[in-house]
Amino acid sequence: LELNWKISDEFNALARVSHSSINNRQEIIRPWSYQGFGNTQPFGSYFINRALDRESNAEVLFSYTKDLKDFNVSASAGGNILNSKGESFNAGGDNLVLPGLFTLSNVARGGLNYASAFSEKAIYSAYGLLSLGFIDIAFIDVTARNDWSSTLPRENRSYFYPSVSGSVLISEITQMPSWISLIKLRSGWAEVGKDTSPYAIHPILSQGYWGEDFTYSLPGSMPNTQLKPEIATSYEVGADLKFFNNRFGVDATYYKNENRNQILNVNASPLSGYTSTTINAGKVENYGVELGM
């Protein structure tokens, strides 16, 4: 649902709410004649699996556009609230009590397995965009965004990432030979932040059995209460060239990407009571050249 309000020729306001959900239900029915069964499982099996994923977004955005003689100015500012939830349920077994009756209550108690899970996540965001153009020759775009994620520790859940890009039409500044149609130089720098999955910083108990009693145990991976968001930084510089009335063109770009504070799962000493832990580590760089015609 979207509401777009043109306040004036320069100002515009937008409010939008969206919701998406996926609801899957799966039944697995195997009769007594299924070839995978032996003499110890004569009456078949029955399983039921359900999964529900929901995501909702609420967004507001205010925009301003103005032509000031040789300059064109466009600015936007807004925010977004994201909420996502996931639920799952799985139950069933390979030993039915009565043949042909495919229900959970007909699965032998000793062979009935079941599990359920629930997860929830929220991200609050604020962002802005500024675009400047000078007589259709030079352009610059600046963006800024800050996210607050529920999946990170309180002291690290806020992370800021900006970007800036610009381009210049050299062929519009100076006189070019007739066989040159366009010479455009461009460059950009950007950062992007990333959080982690829900409950990665909290211990999640696992349920088991000891005879007829329930047991609960700590996870094998030690939670990291100091986890930081991942940050990806990219640099780019390039040129677009066109010749002979745009019949032939070349696009060339040099880029470099850097990822730091990557969220990784590593082995830990069993003496700690855990077999692994989650850390921020690593710095991965890749760079290259792209050519297109």
Side-chain angles (χ1 to χ4, degrees):
L1 178 65
E2 179 178 303
L3 173 64
N4 202 325
W5 180 22
K6 186 176 181 180
I7 303 174
S8 67
D9 291 338
E10 292 84 18
F11 287 97
N12 193 80
L14 179 144
R16 178 166 47 213
V17 177
S18 62
H19 178 81
S20 62
S21 63
I22 300 175
N23 191 349
N24 289 326
R25 184 180 187 273
Q26 180 187 48
E27 279 188 289
I28 303 175
I29 296 173
R30 297 190 179 104
W32 66 272
S33 58
Y34 181 69
Q35 69 179 44
F37 290 134
N39 294 329
T40 59
Q41 297 169 318
F43 297 136
S45 66
Y46 177 71
F47 293 89
I48 182 170
N49 305 313
R50 297 204 63 176
L52 176 62
D53 292 303
R54 292 169 290 180
E55 180 178 302
S56 62
N57 285 271
E59 178 186 13
V60 293
L61 185 68
F62 298 94
S63 302
Y64 172 79
T65 303
K66 184 71 173 179
D67 290 327
L68 302 171
K69 294 184 179 179
D70 295 335
F71 290 91
N72 176 267
V73 180
S74 178
S76 301
N80 187 86
I81 297 176
L82 178 149
N83 282 283
S84 65
K85 295 181 179 181
E87 300 177 42
S88 65
F89 171 78
N90 309 279
D94 285 325
N95 194 359
L96 298 182
V97 177
L98 299 175
L101 179 60
F102 299 102
T103 64
L104 292 178
S105 60
N106 191 41
V107 178
R109 296 302 91 186
L112 179 62
N113 298 306
Y114 56 88
S116 63
F118 174 82
S119 66
E120 191 172 17
K121 173 180 176 179
I123 299 178
Y124 294 173
S125 305
Y127 39 80
L129 165 68
L130 176 64
S131 296
L132 297 175
F134 176 67
I135 56 174
D136 294 331
I137 292 178
F139 307 89
I140 185 170
D141 295 311
V142 180
T143 69
R145 177 172 179 137
N146 200 97
D147 287 349
W148 293 263
S149 173
S150 66
T151 65
L152 295 169
R154 183 182 299 273
E155 59 273 17
N156 295 330
R157 66 178 47 168
S158 173
Y159 47 100
F160 174 77
Y161 46 101
S163 74
V164 59
S165 62
S167 61
V168 178
L169 297 177
I170 302 298
S171 54
E172 297 294 328
I173 297 177
T174 182
Q175 186 68 33
M176 293 288 172
S178 60
W179 54 274
I180 297 179
S181 304
L182 173 71
I183 297 180
K184 178 181 177 181
L185 302 180
R186 48 184 168 77
S187 181
W189 171 88
E191 282 193 342
V192 177
K194 180 184 177 184
D195 59 358
T196 185
S197 56
Y199 314 121
I201 61 174
H202 298 293
I204 302 175
L205 298 179
S206 300
Q207 187 188 66
Y209 304 95
W210 182 266
E212 296 184 356
D213 297 324
F214 289 105
T215 63
Y216 289 92
S217 59
L218 290 170
S221 179
M222 179 171 59
N224 183 353
T225 58
Q226 303 298 318
L227 205 62
K228 299 177 182 179
E230 294 185 14
I231 300 295
T233 305
S234 62
Y235 312 85
E236 178 181 298
V237 60
D240 299 333
L241 311 175
K242 295 186 182 298
F243 309 98
F244 308 113
N245 291 324
N246 298 321
R247 290 185 176 91
F248 176 74
V250 176
D251 299 333
T253 303
Y254 170 82
Y255 67 88
K256 180 180 179 181
N257 299 322
E258 176 186 293
N259 293 273
R260 65 184 187 273
N261 291 339
Q262 294 183 93
I263 299 176
L264 305 174
N265 201 39
V266 298
N267 294 330
S269 171
L271 296 176
S272 66
Y274 299 92
T275 58
S276 63
T277 186
T278 303
I279 63 171
N280 290 110
K283 181 178 179 182
V284 178
E285 294 183 353
N286 62 80
Y287 55 89
V289 175
E290 294 180 349
L291 295 175
M293 295 184 180

